């Protein structure tokens, strides 16, 4: 399909600028049995675990040059990662399991086809999906999400280093074009830098680059329904994959990056690239509906050790804000895994933006990236532990409710009217005027901030008291330290005596540790068995409740069917009496019609006999005429045969005379050939005369 056709189909769907995916409403089981096809199709399940993928990058050039040992082993077929380190001071042997594991030799296309492509298909079916990369700085998060430049796509194949975002964009357009559906698509691109939200698609106000102070942050607002929205975030409507590639390249160039000892181009901010797709469908009654899906692609900034990264001055603050937001993200994950009553979403703008992706109605996939080098062992273990805990989070994905196209047009007109009113108010009022609905939103935000400040003040008082208690504890510890130092001098004298005893105790300790490990292994197996039994019991209970509800519904339907059958019997009896009356009338009508038809047939039979007698007389006359014509024809043919024989005999005699004449005059014809050629008419006359002779 050429670009003009694609542009035409892309623009056929009208959308409101304020339109966002609407989550479907969970209904009761009785209502779900009669649910309409185009309504919400939520299934009353217990949720879906967050999918966690681990990717290990290969050693970089510096690590290869230093010949650093590798402490990570990836078992892709088992979905496991092993961390092994044996030194004189520390022994580590841990194994973590994940949904999918991609080792150092894995390629971008392999990761996308096996793990990301099914998620993109879910977006096109009307789900909201989130994919975000997490890990230490320098482990390949941005490479995994964005990769290298797209460049020219030859025969539908990207360069091998192209990341998830361009491949997902291309798959979306390929599927939509293959289905030949009308659609509309818009994208947003933002970054979270030092807890300030920046719009990467906003028009450039200066040429000083992304560090220019003229770039103003935009506000994150509460929507009054437990969610958030970003005021003033630029939304760009797109119709081609190339346009999205340019937007992605333009926004990435504005992103805050810096050089550090751990990464030549370290991301100093979190970014969220969102694609919202509206696809037009038709319901069974011919109404045009809109199916909406949203894909959030999140590239988190990497956690880092300030000492190892060599951060100074402003970079220290950036690293602190990054680590703070990631720490809050870890606390949110812990609260969701432990089913805590309070989940600290509000402690960071990052967790507020990802609230629906963690424990909400979105399908979420986390890509944890690690380094195999021993120098990053501590950060690698933290990442693996974080990702392993995140596997236990349960989301409740729901298909977005279909919306009528007429409703979207109404929202569009309302949005235009609101913007007109704001422009008019700006012209008429002195100073800055805020519309009433926006003022209410800001007031709700202020109240929420005031409540947060009160809670923080309460926490501050509590922390002060805790600090005083810790100070007292520190003082007592100081006195105890002095006493212990005196005792230490005394115990040093007895150290030589206790060394032999210590060796014996160490041997016993080894045996005791082995016994403890065996007991811990048995206890872990027993706990796992107990958990599995508890899970099976809860599943059986839910299945019994489901069967009971279905039985009640079945009884109600049987009662309705009995009522319908009684009504049908009464209708059948009435219909039989009415049918008998109608049949009597029909019988009388048919009898009268039969008598009329018999009379009409008798008259037709008389007419037919009369016409048949006339026709037979005419046929006899025609037969006599045909016989006379036949005799005349036979006599004519005989005379023609006689004439033909006479002509044949005359022709043969004339031909023999002509042949003899030609042989006698052949010499004369040769001499006068040129003369005869000049006068062909005379030659023809002579030949004709010879023939007649």
């Amino acid at each position: 399909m050429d670009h003009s056709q694609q542009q035409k189909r892309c623009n056929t769907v009208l959308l409101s600028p304020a339109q966002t995916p609407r989550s479907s409403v969970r209904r009761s089981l009785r209502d779900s049995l009669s649910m309409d096809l185009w309504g919400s199709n939520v299934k009353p399940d217990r949720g879906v675990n967050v999918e966690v993928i681990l990717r290990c990058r290969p050693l970089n050039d510096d690590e290869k040059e230093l010949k650093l040992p590798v402490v990570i082993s990836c078992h892709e077929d088992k979905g496991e990662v092993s961390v092994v380190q044996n030194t004189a001071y520390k022994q580590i042997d841990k194994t973590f399991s994940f949904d999918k594991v991609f080792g150092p030799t894995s390629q971008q296309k392999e990761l996308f086809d096996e793990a990301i492509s099914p998620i993109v298909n879910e977006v096109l079916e009307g789900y909201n999906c989130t994919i975000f990369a997490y890990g230490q700085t320098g482990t390949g998060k941005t490479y995994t999400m964005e990769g290298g430049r797209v460049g020219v796509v030859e025969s539908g194949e990207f360069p091998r280093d192209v990341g998830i975002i361009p491949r997902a964009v291309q798959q979306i357009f390929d599927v939509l074009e293959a289905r030949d559906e009308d659609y509309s698509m818009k994208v947003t691109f933002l970054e979270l830098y030092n807890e300030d939200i920046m719009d990467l698609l906003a028009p450039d106000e200066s040429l000083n680059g992304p560090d220019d102070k003229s770039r103003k942050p935009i506000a994150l607002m509460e929507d009054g329904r437990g969610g958030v929205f970003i005021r003033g975030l630029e939304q760009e409507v797109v119709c081609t994959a190339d346009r999205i590639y340019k937007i992605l390249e333009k926004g990435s160039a504005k992103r805050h990056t810096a050089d550090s000892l751990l990464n030549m181009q370290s991301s100093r901010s979190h970014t969220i690239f969102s694609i919202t797709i509206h696809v037009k469908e038709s319901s069974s009654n011919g109404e045009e509906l809109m199916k909406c899906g949203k894909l959030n692609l999140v590239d988190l900034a990497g956690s880092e050790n300030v000492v190892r990264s060599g951060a100074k001055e402003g970079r220290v603050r950036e690293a602190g804000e990054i680590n703070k937001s990631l720490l809050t993200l870890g606390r949110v994950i812990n609260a969701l895994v432990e089913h805590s009553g309070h989940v600290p979403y509000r402690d960071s703008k990052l967790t507020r933006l990802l609230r629906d992706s963690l424990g909400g109605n979105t399908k979420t996939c986390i890509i944890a990236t690690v380094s195999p080098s021993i120098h990053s062992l501590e950060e690698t273990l933290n990442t693996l532990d974080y990702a392993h805990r995140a596997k236990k989070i349960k989301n409740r994905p729901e298909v977005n409710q279909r919306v009528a196209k007429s409703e979207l047009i109404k929202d569009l007109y309302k949005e235009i009217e609101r913007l007109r009113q704001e422009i008019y108010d700006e012209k008429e009022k002195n100073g800055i005027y805020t519309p009433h609905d926006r003022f209410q939103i800001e007031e709700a935000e202020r109240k929420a901030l005031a409540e947060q400040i009160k809670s923080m003040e309460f926490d501050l008082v509590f922390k002060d008291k805790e600090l005083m208690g810790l100070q007292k504890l520190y003082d007592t510890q100081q006195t105890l330290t002095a006493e212990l130092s005196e005792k230490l001098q005394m115990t040093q004298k007895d150290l030589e005596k206790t060394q032999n005893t210590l060796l014996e105790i160490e041997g016993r300790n080894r045996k005791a540790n082995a016994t403890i490990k065996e007991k811990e292994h048995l206890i872990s197996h027993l706990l796992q068995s107990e958990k599995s039994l508890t899970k099976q019991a809860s599943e059986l209970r839910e299945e019994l409740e489901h069967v009971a509800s279905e039985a009640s519904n079945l009884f109600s339907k049987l009662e309705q069917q009995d009522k319908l059958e009684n009504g049908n019997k009464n209708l059948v009896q009435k219909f039989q009496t009415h049918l008998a009356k109608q049949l009597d009338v029909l019988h009388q009508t048919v009898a009268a019609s039969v008598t009329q038809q018999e009379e009409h047939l008798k008259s037709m039979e008389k007419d037919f006999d009369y016409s048949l007698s006339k026709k037979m007389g005419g046929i006899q006359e025609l037969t006599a005429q045909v016989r006379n014509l036949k005799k005349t024809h036979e006599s004519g043919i005989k005379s023609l045969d006689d004439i033909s024989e006479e002509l044949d005999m005359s022709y043969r005699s004339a031909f023999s005379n002509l042949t003899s004449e030609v042989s006698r005059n052949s010499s004369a014809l040769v001499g006068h050939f040129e003369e005869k050629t000049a006068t062909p008419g005379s030659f023809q006359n002579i030949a004709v005369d010879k023939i007649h002779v």
Side-chain angles (χ1 to χ4, degrees):
M1 178 177 293
D2 58 12
H3 178 72
S4 61
Q5 291 175 337
Q6 183 178 3
Q7 184 82 12
K8 182 179 179 181
R9 186 163 68 246
C10 177
N11 292 332
T12 54
V13 183
L14 298 175
L15 296 175
S16 169
Q19 185 67 30
T20 56
R22 304 181 181 180
S23 298
S24 56
V25 181
R26 186 177 296 275
R27 304 177 181 178
S28 64
L29 181 60
R30 179 183 294 273
D31 294 335
S32 66
L33 293 174
S34 60
M35 190 179 297
D36 185 73
L37 175 62
W38 300 102
S40 172
N41 58 353
V42 179
K43 295 182 180 179
D45 53 11
R46 297 184 299 276
V48 177
N49 287 87
V50 170
E51 184 178 6
V52 180
I53 299 168
L54 185 119
R55 188 180 195 188
C56 179
R57 68 164 175 81
L59 292 173
N60 57 33
D61 295 337
D62 294 337
E63 292 168 343
K64 291 178 181 178
E65 185 178 354
L66 295 173
K67 297 181 179 179
L68 297 177
V70 174
V71 295
I72 299 294
S73 298
C74 296
H75 308 288
E76 299 183 5
D77 53 343
K78 297 180 180 179
E80 294 180 349
V81 175
S82 300
V83 183
V84 179
Q85 183 194 20
N86 294 318
T87 62
Y89 303 98
K90 185 183 292 185
Q91 292 184 353
I92 299 175
D93 188 359
K94 292 185 178 180
T95 300
F96 300 87
S97 61
F98 300 98
D99 295 299
K100 289 182 178 64
V101 173
F102 295 91
T105 59
S106 62
Q107 301 296 322
Q108 297 276 61
K109 187 177 186 302
E110 178 186 356
L111 171 65
F112 179 82
D113 291 342
E114 294 185 14
I116 308 302
S117 179
I119 299 175
V120 177
N121 291 330
E122 295 287 350
V123 174
L124 295 174
E125 294 303 323
Y127 285 93
N128 295 341
C129 299
T130 299
I131 303 170
F132 68 86
Y134 172 86
Q136 178 196 3
T137 182
T139 54
K141 298 181 300 300
T142 303
Y143 175 79
T144 299
M145 297 300 294
E146 298 181 11
R149 291 174 58 87
V150 176
V152 179
V153 180
E154 297 181 357
S155 66
E157 290 294 332
F158 286 104
R160 58 182 299 178
D161 61 343
V162 172
I164 288 173
I165 299 178
R167 294 179 187 273
V169 169
Q170 187 63 48
Q171 179 178 339
I172 289 172
F173 278 99
D174 289 344
V175 173
L176 290 175
E177 294 302 323
R179 295 178 180 175
D180 196 23
E181 294 178 331
D182 294 334
Y183 63 90
S184 178
M185 191 181 306
K186 57 186 177 182
V187 298
T188 61
F189 199 7
L190 63 88
E191 73 168 346
L192 182 60
Y193 174 70
N194 287 344
E195 283 298 298
D196 289 331
I197 298 176
M198 305 288 185
D199 190 354
L200 297 178
L201 299 184
D204 295 329
E205 298 179 359
S206 64
L207 301 175
N208 295 333
D211 291 332
D212 185 21
K213 295 182 179 180
S214 63
R215 288 178 59 189
K216 297 180 180 179
I218 51 182
L220 181 65
M221 310 295 291
E222 301 283 346
D223 61 1
R225 299 187 298 271
V228 295
F229 70 96
I230 303 171
R231 178 187 294 176
L233 183 64
E234 193 79 17
Q235 295 181 346
E236 186 158 348
V237 178
V238 293
C239 292
T240 62
D242 292 335
R243 179 57 185 161
I244 297 182
Y245 301 152
K246 292 178 182 178
I247 291 173
L248 183 63
E249 185 176 353
K250 175 185 174 183
S252 299
K254 293 182 180 181
R255 185 180 182 182
H256 288 80
T257 59
D259 185 9
S260 69
L261 298 178
L262 299 177
N263 192 356
M264 295 296 294
Q265 191 175 6
S266 175
S267 301
R268 315 307 296 173
S269 63
H270 312 297
T271 62
I272 302 177
F273 185 77
S274 299
I275 305 173
T276 305
I277 309 163
H278 290 78
V279 181
K280 185 172 74 174
E281 294 181 341
S282 296
S283 64
S284 57
N285 56 4
E287 183 182 8
E288 290 186 353
L289 302 174
M290 305 303 298
K291 176 175 67 176
C292 180
K294 187 173 183 181
L295 177 61
N296 301 310
L297 299 156
V298 185
D299 182 13
L300 299 178
S303 60
E304 66 179 52
N305 188 321
V306 177
V307 177
R308 290 185 56 198
S309 65
K312 296 180 181 179
E313 298 178 355
R315 299 286 175 248
V316 176
R317 183 196 171 193
E318 291 174 353
E321 293 292 344
I322 291 170
N323 292 336
K324 178 182 175 183
S325 61
L326 294 177
L327 179 62
T328 305
L329 182 61
R331 290 169 53 205
V332 168
I333 290 174
N334 286 335
L336 291 172
V337 171
E338 296 171 0
H339 304 288
S340 175
H342 171 68
V343 181
Y345 289 113
R346 299 180 61 85
D347 291 356
S348 172
K349 288 184 179 179
L350 176 64
T351 51
R352 291 174 70 187
L353 289 170
L354 298 178
R355 180 168 186 170
D356 198 46
S357 302
L358 298 172
N361 299 328
T362 299
K363 290 192 174 184
T364 302
C365 174
I366 300 175
I367 304 175
T369 59
V370 295
S371 166
S373 172
I374 193 172
H375 277 186
S376 305
L377 179 60
E378 184 178 354
E379 290 82 0
T380 297
L381 287 173
N382 290 336
T383 301
L384 292 172
D385 185 61
Y386 157 86
H388 193 262
R389 291 199 312 272
K391 279 181 59 180
K392 301 177 183 178
I393 299 175
K394 286 187 178 294
N395 288 358
R396 298 175 301 279
E398 299 177 358
V399 177
N400 294 317
Q401 186 177 5
R402 269 69 168 176
V403 183
K405 186 177 179 180
S406 58
E407 294 295 328
L408 294 179
I409 295 174
K410 289 181 182 178
D411 292 341
L412 183 62
Y413 282 130
K414 290 180 181 178
E415 182 72 13
I416 293 172
E417 187 63 29
R418 185 184 66 81
L419 293 173
R420 285 178 179 172
Q421 185 65 32
E422 288 186 7
I423 293 172
Y424 176 78
D425 294 334
E426 287 289 341
K427 291 180 180 178
E428 296 296 325
K429 301 291 182 179
N430 293 324
I432 299 174
Y433 175 76
T434 304
H436 182 67
D437 55 350
R438 184 173 293 180
F439 177 75
Q440 289 181 344
I441 295 174
E442 291 179 351
E443 283 295 315
E445 181 71 15
R446 291 193 189 96
K447 290 180 181 179
L449 289 174
E451 293 176 358
Q452 186 177 3
I453 290 170
K454 288 181 181 179
S455 64
M456 292 176 69
E457 288 176 351
F458 177 77
D459 292 339
L460 181 61
V461 173
F462 178 75
K463 293 293 183 182
D464 289 337
K465 293 180 180 179
E466 187 177 0
L467 181 61
M468 293 175 64
L470 291 173
Q471 185 65 36
K472 292 179 181 179
L473 181 61
Y474 175 75
D475 294 337
T476 55
Q477 289 293 331
Q478 286 292 103
T479 56
L480 288 174
T481 302
E483 294 176 358
L484 289 172
S485 61
E486 294 178 359
K487 292 180 180 180
L488 180 61
Q489 293 176 359
M490 296 174 64
T491 54
Q492 283 178 349
K493 296 178 182 179
D494 299 333
L495 181 59
E496 295 178 357
K497 298 179 181 179
T498 57
Q499 283 181 348
N500 296 328
T501 307
L502 181 60
L503 293 173
E504 296 177 359
I505 292 173
E506 286 179 351
R508 296 174 183 174
N509 189 23
R510 291 192 190 95
K511 295 180 181 179
N513 287 333
T515 306
I516 290 170
K517 286 183 179 179
E518 292 177 357
K519 291 182 178 180
E520 288 178 349
H521 183 69
L522 292 173
I523 290 170
S524 64
H525 277 288
L526 290 173
L527 290 174
Q528 290 178 358
S529 301
E530 183 180 356
K531 289 180 181 178
S532 64
L533 289 173
T534 305
K535 183 178 179 181
Q536 291 177 1
S538 61
E539 291 177 353
L540 289 173
R541 181 178 179 183
E542 291 177 356
E543 289 179 358
L544 287 173
E545 292 176 353
H546 180 69
V547 170
S549 62
E550 287 185 347
S552 62
N553 292 333
L554 181 60
F555 285 130
S556 62
K557 288 183 178 180
L558 290 174
E559 292 176 358
Q560 293 177 0
Q561 186 175 2
D562 292 338
K563 293 179 181 179
L564 289 174
E565 289 180 353
N566 293 330
N568 290 334
K569 289 180 180 178
N570 295 329
L571 289 173
V572 168
Q573 291 176 357
K574 293 179 181 179
F575 178 73
Q576 287 177 348
T577 55
H578 181 70
L579 181 61
K581 294 178 181 179
Q582 293 293 328
L583 287 174
D584 293 337
V585 174
L586 180 61
H587 180 70
Q588 296 174 0
T589 305
V590 169
S593 177
V594 167
T595 55
Q596 292 178 0
Q597 292 293 330
E598 288 177 351
E599 294 175 356
H600 183 66
L601 287 173
K602 290 179 180 179
S603 64
M604 287 179 65
E605 185 176 0
K606 293 179 181 178
D607 294 338
F608 179 74
D609 292 338
Y610 176 73
S611 62
L612 182 61
S613 62
K614 285 184 69 177
K615 295 294 182 181
M616 289 300 291
I619 289 170
Q620 290 176 358
E621 292 178 359
L622 286 173
T623 302
Q625 292 178 2
V626 168
R627 289 174 181 171
N628 294 330
L629 287 173
K630 183 177 181 182
K631 291 178 180 179
T632 306
H633 178 68
E634 289 175 352
S635 63
I637 288 174
K638 186 176 181 181
S639 62
L640 287 174
D641 289 338
D642 296 337
I643 293 169
S644 176
E645 290 176 358
E646 292 176 0
L647 288 173
D648 187 33
M649 293 175 64
S650 64
Y651 169 75
R652 289 177 180 177
S653 63
F655 182 75
S656 61
N657 294 330
L658 179 62
T659 303
S660 61
E661 188 70 26
V662 169
S663 61
R664 285 196 305 267
N665 298 324
S666 60
S667 59
L669 287 172
V670 172
H672 299 282
F673 180 74
E674 293 180 358
E675 182 181 354
K676 297 301 179 178
T677 304
T679 58
S682 61
F683 179 77
Q684 291 177 359
N685 293 328
I686 292 170
V688 171
D689 293 336
K690 294 295 182 181
I691 291 170
H692 284 293
V693 172

